[in-house]
Amino acid sequence: SCINVKTFFLLFDIYYLIMAIQKLISHRGNIIGPDVSLENNPSYILEALSLGFDCEIDVWQINNELLLGHDEPTYKTSIDFLSEHKNSLWIHCKNFESLEYLNKNNELNYFWHQKDKFTITSKGYIWTYPGNVVGNKSVIVDNEKKASDYQCFGVCSDYIETYKSKL
C-alpha cells in the first residue's frame, strides 16, 4: 500500500529534523575566521563556549603537564579545565602521551588524527576530514567562509558563526 502525500511530507520533515546539524563546534576557539595568535588560548575557548558553541581544542601532554596549542604546546591547562567543560569540548590529542593520558578518562570526548579521512572519537562520533561523505554521527571539519548544507551531527569551523542560522 502507498502512503498519502501528507504522511510522506510529515516523514520527510521528521527525517530532516533528525538529520539537521545539532552541534556547532568552534575550531580552536575561532568563530568568525582564524586568529592564529589566539587559537587554543583558554580565554578564547571560554569565549566561544559562552556564545553557545562547542569547541575543538588541541591538547598535548609534555612532562606530565597538559598544554593547549596547535603546532606546538603553548598554554598550560588542566584535567579540571577539561572536565569542567567536558560536554562542550572536542579534544584533539596532538601527541601519544596526551592520547594515552586521556584514554584513562572515560568522561571526555577526545580523538587522534592527522590527515585521516575519518576517525572515531571516544564518544563514538565520526570526526570527518573536509570533503568527505558524512552521516548522522559525523562531525565534518569545514573551514570555508560560506556555510554548506550538511546532513550530519555537527560542523567544526573557523567560521562557525555562519552556521548559526542553520540550527
Side-chain angles (χ1 to χ4, degrees), residues 32-167:
I32 56 171
D35 187 338
V36 178
S37 68
L38 291 174
E39 290 179 352
N40 285 297
N41 180 315
S43 61
Y44 197 50
I45 292 164
L46 290 173
E47 184 180 334
L49 296 178
S50 74
L51 294 171
F53 299 108
D54 279 18
C55 195
E56 181 268 348
I57 61 173
D58 300 311
V59 174
W60 303 73
Q61 185 184 40
I62 308 283
N63 297 324
N64 293 318
E65 286 189 324
L66 291 175
L67 300 128
L68 299 169
H70 178 62
D71 292 325
E72 61 186 37
T74 306
Y75 305 101
K76 285 188 177 184
T77 192
S78 67
I79 193 65
D80 292 337
F81 177 83
L82 300 179
S83 294
E84 182 180 345
H85 304 288
K86 66 185 175 191
N87 295 326
S88 303
L89 294 178
W90 299 72
I91 303 168
H92 180 183
C93 297
K94 297 297 282 187
N95 63 355
F96 176 77
E97 293 79 6
S98 64
L99 182 63
E100 184 176 47
Y101 177 78
L102 293 180
N103 195 37
K104 298 173 189 171
N105 185 324
N106 63 3
E107 64 180 18
L108 299 175
N109 188 24
Y110 61 90
F111 61 96
W112 161 273
H113 85 108
Q114 288 183 316
K115 298 243 184 235
D116 311 310
K117 288 183 178 184
F118 311 99
T119 194
I120 303 293
T121 75
S122 61
K123 296 294 182 185
Y125 294 96
I126 304 167
W127 195 261
T128 307
Y129 199 73
N132 289 290
V133 65
V134 293
N136 65 349
K137 290 280 281 185
S138 298
V139 173
I140 183 118
V141 177
D142 181 1
N143 284 321
E144 299 298 320
K145 290 182 181 180
K146 183 175 181 257
S148 297
D149 288 321
Y150 293 110
Q151 298 300 309
C152 61
F153 179 76
V155 174
C156 177
S157 178
D158 289 328
Y159 301 92
I160 201 62
E161 180 68 35
T162 62
Y163 280 90
K164 218 169 193 177
S165 65
K166 293 194 173 287
L167 279 185

